[in-house]
Amino acid sequence: MKRNILIVMCAGLFVVLLDVTIVNVALPSIAAGRHAGLADLQWVVDGYQIALAGLLLTGGTLGDRFGHRRVVLAGFALFGVASAGCALAPGVGALVAARAVQGVGAALLLPGTLAVITRTFPGDRERARAIGVWAAVGSAALPAGPLLGGVLIQVFGWPSIFAINVPIILIIFVAVLRVAPADEPERRPIDLPGTVTGAGTLLVLTYAVIQAGRDGPDWRLFAVAAALPAAFVVIESRREEPMLPLGLLRRPSIAVGTIGSATMNFGINGMMLLITLYLQGVLRLSPMTAGAALLPLFAPLALLAAPFGRLAGRYGPRPVMVAGLLVLAVGMGLLLLVRPATSYLVLLPALAVIGLGAALLTPSVVALAMSDPPPGREGLVSAINNTARQAGGAIGVAVFGAMAGAPGGPRFIGGLHGAAVVAGVAYLGVTALTLALGLTTGHPTTPSSERSQTRT
């Protein structure tokens, strides 16, 4: 029974994470089929990521309050219905709305799948093995997305990447009903003001940046985007049980690990948008070929994240994190060699180096954040780290798209180069911050924190 629960939860995780990368390969086809501009394509990506990032912490709280099995089922149902809505969307506005609903379903699912696994495997050793499987399945979904997406788009058209979710989700939903046990709800308050101001910050900031790329900056929007986080801080500091206890972010390891996670996805997700548009819009590769061309970016993460995670456990997360940040900065620098007329072979080394940097950085930022959590707060710290990753990715897509413009346009290659410089400088800045943390604190990983890393 335990094995069946693990398989079902991992299958759900795989489908949800598949939609993070599979949609990028479809963007040029969506643009052609729905007459969508670059800003529309940014929203197709960010509608999902903003909803996921904005509601991820709330999704975990809802699971505690109403039972994780019940919330996971609701997440699957919402995700399946929204996938059908994406496939049938008559226009880009309906597609973006359905993608946002997908993100809400994913926000309910992701913390719930891990919570169900954690409660199913109570022993430390068996729980660590189960979570290792869960994490490996999540990593495998990233390279599978472009490959599967490219094949589906070329054979059946872009709606098929969403339609395929529906029967799979239906099977998983029935399986969860049969194998996952009900759990006892806990009395946990829902931080609605914190959720609204937190998600609102990300939404308004993303909207302001995307609009600035299309029509020029609207400073009123940026003023609202600056006021909302201030309101969020005031609200969270006054609540007895806040969604995000601000005191956690005063712990250097948690703060730097969270900043590192956000910066990692800021550069990688934002650049992935531009690279996908470059492959199909500039080099004129087919969706299937473009999906295969992205493998060097994702394969190292799937194959090497676990070994590099063991290195972070043995030598401490900071040196592995610094190595990952520096490798990512080098990879972004290699993108400066890309020109409109250059072949894929010029892009290939940059993709491989960025993939290697991501494989180094992904486990180490989590390990650093999880090296100093207060007792009983391990799950919350992990959720904060995941939220930061999704939020950073959404902002990266908005910023880099605004910088580059449409593929084939007069500023696209220059914008790609500028985005690479911005990402490289950001990685170097976090490198300096991480090294400063090493000078002001001791080795962050203690035996107890290593156990926390494994559990999360």
Side-chain angles (χ1 to χ4, degrees):
M1 180 63 73
K2 287 184 177 182
R3 182 181 179 184
N4 291 339
I5 293 172
L6 179 61
I7 291 172
V8 171
M9 292 299 116
C10 288
L13 172 73
F14 185 87
V15 173
V16 169
L17 292 185
L18 192 73
D19 269 47
V20 174
T21 56
I22 197 172
V23 74
N24 283 275
V25 184
L27 293 178
S29 300
I30 293 172
R34 293 294 181 268
H35 307 290
L38 176 61
D40 300 318
L41 299 181
Q42 289 173 280
W43 279 114
V44 170
V45 177
D46 273 354
Y48 184 86
Q49 289 195 315
I50 289 172
L52 177 55
L55 299 175
L56 195 56
L57 291 174
T58 302
T61 302
L62 287 171
D64 290 337
R65 180 166 181 174
F66 298 107
H68 287 288
R69 177 180 180 269
R70 186 177 300 166
V71 172
V72 164
L73 285 169
F76 276 127
L78 203 57
F79 193 89
V81 170
S83 295
C86 290
L88 299 173
V92 70
L95 176 59
V96 171
R99 283 283 289 169
V101 177
Q102 267 192 321
V104 175
L108 298 176
L109 272 172
L110 287 181
T113 56
L114 187 55
V116 170
I117 290 172
T118 301
R119 295 184 180 192
T120 302
F121 297 89
D124 284 349
R125 189 178 297 274
E126 64 172 354
R127 185 191 301 124
R129 285 197 295 265
I131 292 176
V133 173
W134 182 85
V137 168
S139 296
L142 298 178
L147 280 178
L148 177 62
V151 172
L152 289 173
I153 294 161
Q154 195 148 327
V155 176
F156 301 107
W158 68 263
S160 63
I161 68 170
F162 301 112
I164 195 174
N165 290 339
V166 178
I168 297 173
I169 290 294
L170 182 60
I171 293 170
I172 295 173
F173 186 91
V174 173
V176 173
L177 282 174
R178 295 190 60 178
V179 305
D183 49 331
E184 288 295 325
E186 302 174 9
R187 289 188 174 274
R188 291 283 301 276
I190 305 299
D191 184 3
L192 185 58
T195 299
V196 171
T197 51
T201 297
L202 183 57
L203 176 61
V204 174
L205 178 59
T206 302
Y207 181 75
V209 173
I210 291 176
Q211 287 298 108
R214 183 167 63 180
D215 303 321
D218 184 338
W219 298 113
R220 293 169 298 179
L221 288 173
F222 284 102
V224 174
L228 281 172
F232 176 79
V233 170
V234 171
I235 289 169
E236 295 301 277
S237 64
R238 293 180 177 180
R239 289 186 68 88
E240 292 185 8
E241 294 190 46
M243 176 179 69
L244 175 60
L246 299 177
L248 290 176
L249 299 180
R250 288 194 284 269
R251 293 176 176 249
S253 295
I254 295 176
V256 175
T258 301
I259 292 170
S261 292
T263 306
M264 175 179 68
N265 276 30
F266 169 80
I268 293 174
N269 287 30
M271 193 54 68
M272 185 168 63
L273 170 73
L274 301 188
I275 290 171
T276 302
L277 296 176
Y278 175 79
L279 290 172
Q280 296 187 56
V282 179
L283 297 187
R284 303 297 179 184
L285 300 183
S286 68
M288 188 183 301
T289 306
L294 287 171
L295 265 183
L297 182 62
F298 296 110
L301 183 59
L303 298 174
L304 300 176
F308 288 151
R310 289 193 288 271
L311 283 179
R314 177 176 299 178
Y315 299 109
R318 281 195 304 273
V320 181
M321 183 173 170
V322 167
L325 288 163
L326 293 176
V327 170
L328 278 171
V330 171
M332 293 296 171
L334 291 174
L335 288 173
L336 299 178
L337 301 175
V338 172
R339 296 290 185 272
T342 54
S343 72
Y344 171 72
L345 293 178
V346 177
L347 180 63
L348 178 59
L351 295 180
V353 173
I354 292 171
L356 178 62
L360 284 162
L361 193 56
T362 298
S364 57
V365 290
V366 177
L368 182 62
M370 297 305 301
S371 65
D372 188 30
R377 291 292 196 174
E378 295 90 349
L380 178 58
V381 172
S382 177
I384 292 170
N385 196 268
N386 278 316
T387 298
R389 289 174 62 177
Q390 297 300 327
I395 295 171
V397 167
V399 171
F400 288 7
M403 291 179 67
R411 61 188 177 98
F412 181 78
I413 295 299
L416 188 151
H417 291 164
V421 170
V422 169
V425 169
Y427 291 136
L428 293 176
V430 179
T431 300
L433 188 63
T434 307
L435 292 173
L437 173 68
L439 294 173
T440 57
T441 65
H443 193 292
T445 305
T446 63
S448 62
S449 65
E450 286 179 359
R451 288 193 294 272
S452 297
Q453 285 179 38
T454 306
R455 285 197 299 270
T456 305

